[in-house]
Amino acid sequence: MIELGEIAVKKALELGADEAEAYLIRGKEFNVSLESNDIKLAKSQTRDGIGIRVFKNKSLGFASVNVLSEPKIAEAVSNAVRLAKLTPADKYNQLPMPTPLTKVEGIYDPQAEKIEMDFALDNAVKMLKTVQNFDKRIAVDSGSFDASVYEIGIVNSKGIKLSERGSSFSYVIFGMATDKQEVSCFQYEFDVTHQASEVNVEKVALDFAQKVINSLGAKKWESFKGTVILDPEVVTDLLSVILFSVNANNVQKGMSRFAKSLNQKVAMADLSIEDNGLLKGGNASGSFDREGVARKLIKLIDKGVLNTFLYNSYTANKENRISTGHATGGTREVPYIGPTNLTISPGNKTKDELIKDVRKGILVTRLSCFPNPVSGDFSGVVKGGFRIENGEIGKPVIETMIAGNVFELINQISGISKEQKRIFSFIVPWLKIEDISITSG
Amino acid sequence: MFDLLEPLLSEFSGVDYGEIRFHERNQNAIAIRKGELETAKATSYSGAAVRVLSQGGWGFSSTNRIERNELKRTISDAIKAAKVSSAGKKSKEVKLAKANLAKGKFEPKINDPLTNHSFEEKLELVRNTEAKVAKASPLIQSAYVYYNETLDKKYILTTDGARAEIYDSKPEFFILAVASDGKDYVRALEATGTTGGWKDLFSKKSPETMVDRVVERVSKLLKAPYPPGERATVILDPGLVGLISHEAIGHTVEADFVLSGAITKDKINQRVGSELVTMFDSGPEQNAGGTLLVDDEGVLTEKTIIIENGILKSFLHNRETAAKMNVKPTGNARAYEYPDEPLIRMRNTGIEPGKNTLESMIAEIKHGYLLKQAGGGQADANAEFMFQVSEAYRIEDGKVGELLRDVTISGQAFDVLLSVDALSKDFIWDMGWGHCGKGQPAKVDGGGPYLRCQVIIGGRQK
């Protein structure tokens, strides 16, 4: 595969590009999906792609194609060069040089190469049956089990030439419960792993089933300002605001509230967040980023102090520093900036201890919400939320909304749990937050 | 292409149904932020998908290599997959309803094809627009302008007679502005998207109008207070009426959700809204973002009346769910790109206009809100929906007051529909820049008149 990348780069230079980069992916997947309490469809396919980025007189051009044949690649290269001749120059357009890499472990399971459709079917059936045996009131609306292997490669005219293999098993289940006239809210549960031996569909199915049953019997409550305990999944949703604000491109382009906050306290001293692209077996792990720059461990927020922003080559060039290895994106887009495996450090109380101290509040296990990454404002509908009164978890709530501001919220944390949960590539504890607006319809 | 694909239909012998869909997608995009080019790209994504039904099991496979032997191998993989799927299935009774299958060439109405306009011209528009926003006010920290065009070519063939050649053209244009007073940061977005050509894209609002609106709003937002959290009477603009039709009702009437046990399952021919409400989902609309002439099962699309004068009339179907419920398919089976299987998805969803004027609807409100500018939204099995409102104004004693910070709105869909007490005479598709996500993305639109109803506002408590 890497040879095709070399051909693309060579071709681009022949056509007049000053610098060129080819990013390639080749993958194979088996997938079995569920719908309306039954198997829906079985799917087997391969997926390829190449994305070509060129600079000509410091001007950008990008093209991609999903067919890895020499004529198709040549056509994409010539499209990229054509665009680069038309776009405005930018002196920071410069591809990265090779850097020493640390090989990440645990992202490829050779067993995955031998997997067939039956493996996906067996797991999908097991997931469905586990739920159906748990409680007849649960309806599985949809779900899937996916097994895939892939290889990514990156070649550039500055001497980067890298490839890496990976494997992935991901499974999700989604549905609701029906009890007489009542229909609960949707719930879902999922997991992803690189290792076939770590696949555990029963656990996901049981967690899902328990969540769905718990959400039956939801009632309206009342409007007040109080304490909320946020499930790791909800914390992950709100974290998007922080991630937007530490993205160096948003910082440099005047969209981040953290623009002038580097080395300053932005959150309570209890809050530490790190990003580790080299985490063993991490779902976002890789030895190198989308530009071929080494991944590494970064302390993003250390005891409440903002330590660094996340950079790709372009934003690093602007500040005359080196990229932190956070270029991301597929073959169909110009590389941008994104986090890898993110960890919020655990606290010193258990989740139950956090709940015990709440006089009046809500435990939020899912929040239907699109936080505004610029202002930090959020208001969302509590799904699968529960009353907490005098330290006891009570009835589930419905037609309840919470609102606040993420930048304020990270300064209103009154507790962080010892326990952490893995949500895709994020490892996150439960958070207890004070003074949140709760509105009941 | 038919010459290559048609003879392959014989490879489906021994199975109940086979479908070949070739889909070539070309996308071109330009993005400029704070005076710097972030994206200038041309992408091509093409291949053929095969779907097979055999003994109640669906199998699917796809390939990016369009040549005879590879396609034959793909068909054989899909047949194998169907057998695996059948083996794991409880219910082996799967039938496909008779449908109005598409035969021939299909293309939406296009005013001034996008290919008539050069990359340089599009780049110039994005550049000038960004520069105008950036210069408009010292409070503006950053502007982001994005143009994207999606050009599709499809061939769909089925073993029971669909034989369609389909073309599509969907452009989109976005402006985002961020303002700050040094401490607080706010954003405003204006966007438009449609099916058609260059003239269609800017037929509802010109780039100049979009610049003026975004600049005015982002500057005001810095001083805007938070709305209180309460249940209140509100007027929704056409884009939000589209969003409520899509999120609150549309998803709950997708037949796959219905069969799983959504709250609508026993509600056909029952009252679900006020008698003012007639809601539909339509494929063959002109100048709307979700326009679809033929669905990805090769079925000709139609205008499907979901709710008529407040009574639930129809769900949205593919051929399999239509057969299960013994009705006609509605042409709602859609696949995003070639390696995706068709799912039941909406197209352009809206509410028919009424007889009121916006002015009289506002004048009658003692305390409430005028809500504009749709953002994201989500639906739920119990019909509890949420969506974002980017532009909210107070209404006190029949007069529109100050702008408030953006807010999320929620409610129980059928309670909200029952609370509808006025609709304006207007009709606009105004959600065409949006995507719906349900495992796969889909281009959809939503629209309607101005509508008055009751919702919960997720604001601040004192």
Side-chain angles (χ1 to χ4, degrees), chain A residues 33 35 158 172 186 196 221 247 333 356 400 404-405 422:
Chain A
S33 54
E35 187 177 272
K158 296 280 188 70
V172 57
F186 279 133
W221 198 17
N247 175 319
E333 53 226 332
K356 230 170 232 149
T400 302
N405 182 289
R422 187 165 54 114

Side-chain angles (χ1 to χ4, degrees), chain A residues 291-303:
Chain A
E291 297 178 308
V293 174
R295 295 280 199 194
K296 56 183 175 186
L297 169 72
I298 275 178
K299 287 195 167 176
L300 205 50
I301 292 179
D302 192 18
K303 299 190 174 77

Side-chain angles (χ1 to χ4, degrees), chain A residues 383-398:
Chain A
K383 302 285 183 181
F386 299 85
R387 293 181 183 196
I388 309 175
E389 284 175 290
N390 301 317
E392 298 282 328
I393 294 183
K395 281 195 184 119
V397 295
I398 194 169

Side-chain angles (χ1 to χ4, degrees), chain A residues 155-169:
Chain A
V155 179
N156 82 13
S157 54
K158 296 280 188 70
I160 287 179
K161 194 166 90 180
L162 298 162
S163 69
E164 192 154 62
R165 279 176 189 273
S167 52
S168 165
F169 300 90

Side-chain angles (χ1 to χ4, degrees), chain A residues 109-407:
Chain A
D109 179 356
Q111 289 301 317
E113 300 283 356
K114 296 179 203 143
I115 276 165
E116 291 287 336
M117 186 67 91
D118 288 336
F119 181 75
L121 178 76
D122 293 347
N123 278 293
V125 169
K126 205 187 285 174
M127 194 157 63
L128 184 62
K129 285 198 171 146
T130 307
V131 171
Q132 287 170 336
N133 291 337
F134 185 87
D135 196 311
K136 291 282 168 265
R137 291 173 293 175
I138 304 174
V140 174
D141 174 74
S142 54
S144 68
F145 185 92
D146 192 280
S148 62
V149 285
Y150 55 87
E151 183 183 8
I152 56 171
I154 184 142
V155 179
N156 82 13
S157 54
K158 296 280 188 70
I160 287 179
K161 194 166 90 180
L162 298 162
S163 69
E164 192 154 62
R165 279 176 189 273
S167 52
S168 165
F169 300 90
S170 66
Y171 37 106
V172 57
I173 189 154
F174 180 92
M176 64 276 201
T178 311
D179 195 0
K180 297 180 189 90
Q181 286 306 303
E182 187 192 354
V183 179
S184 77
C185 64
F186 279 133
Q187 293 290 359
Y188 61 89
E189 195 60 51
F190 61 89
D191 203 7
V192 194
T193 173
H194 294 288
Q195 307 294 329
S197 62
E198 286 176 7
V199 168
N200 189 348
V201 292
E202 282 105 333
K203 182 178 184 301
V204 159
L206 289 172
D207 287 350
F208 160 76
Q210 192 62 59
K211 258 193 197 175
V212 179
I213 292 302
N214 288 349
S215 63
L216 276 169
K219 294 274 180 299
K220 288 187 202 178
W221 198 17
E222 56 189 84
S223 300
F224 62 101
K225 209 164 186 176
T227 311
V228 294
I229 305 269
L230 304 178
D231 186 274
E233 205 172 298
V234 180
V235 176
T236 302
D237 290 341
L238 299 179
L239 215 52
S240 61
V241 172
I242 306 295
L243 293 172
F244 179 90
S245 308
V246 297
N247 175 319
N249 196 34
N250 295 331
V251 172
Q252 291 170 354
K253 300 223 171 117
M255 289 194 176
S256 167
R257 196 155 123 166
F258 284 164
K260 292 180 186 127
S261 306
L262 199 61
N263 300 319
Q264 288 180 22
K265 200 171 160 301
V266 295
M268 301 188 66
D270 296 342
L271 191 73
S272 292
I273 305 178
E274 61 177 42
D275 178 280
N276 185 4
L278 293 172
L279 185 72
K280 188 180 172 189
N283 282 324
S285 290
S287 305
F288 51 89
D289 75 355
R290 165 68 179 80
E291 297 178 308
V293 174
R295 295 280 199 194
K296 56 183 175 186
L297 169 72
I298 275 178
K299 287 195 167 176
L300 205 50
I301 292 179
D302 192 18
K303 299 190 174 77
V305 174
L306 178 64
N307 232 351
T308 183
F309 299 122
L310 303 180
Y311 292 87
N312 59 1
S313 297
Y314 175 83
T315 53
N317 291 344
K318 263 190 176 169
E319 295 181 24
N320 200 20
R321 52 171 294 157
I322 55 163
S323 162
T324 55
H326 286 91
T328 189
T331 55
R332 292 165 78 180
E333 53 226 332
V334 177
Y336 52 95
I337 296 173
T340 64
N341 304 292
L342 215 74
T343 304
I344 298 186
S345 303
N348 49 22
K349 284 188 175 178
T350 65
K351 178 191 154 198
D352 290 343
E353 283 166 351
L354 293 182
I355 293 169
K356 230 170 232 149
D357 295 340
V358 178
R359 195 183 58 79
K360 185 175 176 186
I362 292 191
L363 167 66
V364 186
T365 61
R366 180 158 79 85
L367 188 67
S368 184
C369 177
F370 298 91
N372 180 329
V374 169
S375 67
D377 291 338
F378 69 93
S379 68
V381 183
V382 175
K383 302 285 183 181
F386 299 85
R387 293 181 183 196
I388 309 175
E389 284 175 290
N390 301 317
E392 298 282 328
I393 294 183
K395 281 195 184 119
V397 295
I398 194 169
E399 293 190 43
T400 302
M401 302 186 75
I402 63 171
N405 182 289
V406 175
F407 296 109

Side-chain angles (χ1 to χ4, degrees), chain A residues 29 32-33 35-48 60-68 72 79 82-83 86-88 90 92 117-118 121 125 128 132 139-142 174 176 178 180-181 183-186 220 223-225 244 247 249-250 252-260 314 318 332-334 366-383 398-405 408 437-441, chain B residues 25 27 32-34 36-47 51 57-65 73 77-78 81-82 84-85 87-91 119-120 123 127 141-144 176 178-179 182-187 226 229-231 255-257 259-263 265 318 320-321 337-343 376-382 384-386 388 405-412 415 440 456-462:
Chain A
E29 64 168 340
V32 171
S33 54
E35 187 177 272
S36 305
N37 303 308
D38 207 345
I39 296 291
K40 184 197 181 191
L41 174 134
K43 188 175 189 176
S44 71
Q45 60 195 4
T46 54
R47 291 208 209 197
D48 307 327
L60 165 76
F62 183 90
S64 86
V65 66
N66 69 318
V67 183
L68 297 186
K72 287 283 184 187
N79 264 327
R82 175 179 61 86
L83 293 180
L86 300 171
T87 58
D90 183 334
Y92 302 112
M117 186 67 91
D118 288 336
L121 178 76
V125 169
L128 184 62
Q132 287 170 336
V140 174
D141 174 74
S142 54
F174 180 92
M176 64 276 201
T178 311
K180 297 180 189 90
Q181 286 306 303
V183 179
S184 77
C185 64
F186 279 133
K220 288 187 202 178
S223 300
F224 62 101
K225 209 164 186 176
F244 179 90
N247 175 319
N249 196 34
N250 295 331
Q252 291 170 354
K253 300 223 171 117
M255 289 194 176
S256 167
R257 196 155 123 166
F258 284 164
K260 292 180 186 127
Y314 175 83
K318 263 190 176 169
R332 292 165 78 180
E333 53 226 332
V334 177
R366 180 158 79 85
L367 188 67
S368 184
C369 177
F370 298 91
N372 180 329
V374 169
S375 67
D377 291 338
F378 69 93
S379 68
V381 183
V382 175
K383 302 285 183 181
I398 194 169
E399 293 190 43
T400 302
M401 302 186 75
I402 63 171
N405 182 289
E408 290 165 19
S437 290
I438 298 166
T439 301
S440 171
Chain B
R25 168 161 287 176
Q27 284 178 307
I32 293 186
R33 178 150 53 149
K34 210 170 169 70
E36 290 167 2
L37 181 85
E38 289 193 350
T39 285
K41 68 175 182 179
T43 67
S44 160
Y45 195 70
S46 64
R51 199 167 62 129
W58 283 107
F60 185 98
S61 188
S62 74
T63 179
N64 53 14
R65 297 213 310 271
R73 193 193 58 78
D77 280 357
V84 172
S85 159
K89 233 181 143 194
K90 274 180 294 184
S91 161
F119 173 82
E120 290 95 316
L123 176 65
R127 259 180 123 161
Q141 300 294 309
S142 194
Y144 174 79
L176 174 75
V178 169
K183 233 179 116 202
D184 197 5
Y185 279 73
V186 292
R187 67 167 180 190
Y226 286 103
E230 61 175 337
R231 181 181 285 276
D256 52 335
F257 278 146
L259 288 166
S260 299
I263 200 155
K265 64 182 187 296
N318 60 19
E320 181 181 350
T321 63
E337 288 177 333
Y338 83 87
D340 301 312
E341 73 277 13
L343 303 177
Q378 281 176 358
D380 207 331
N382 55 8
E384 186 182 47
F385 66 88
M386 66 79 87
Q388 282 176 302
R405 300 276 284 224
D406 45 339
V407 70
T408 303
I409 301 300
S410 178
Q412 208 280 348
D415 292 350
Q440 305 164 16
I456 310 166
I457 297 183
R460 302 292 178 103
Q461 300 297 328
K462 282 183 185 137

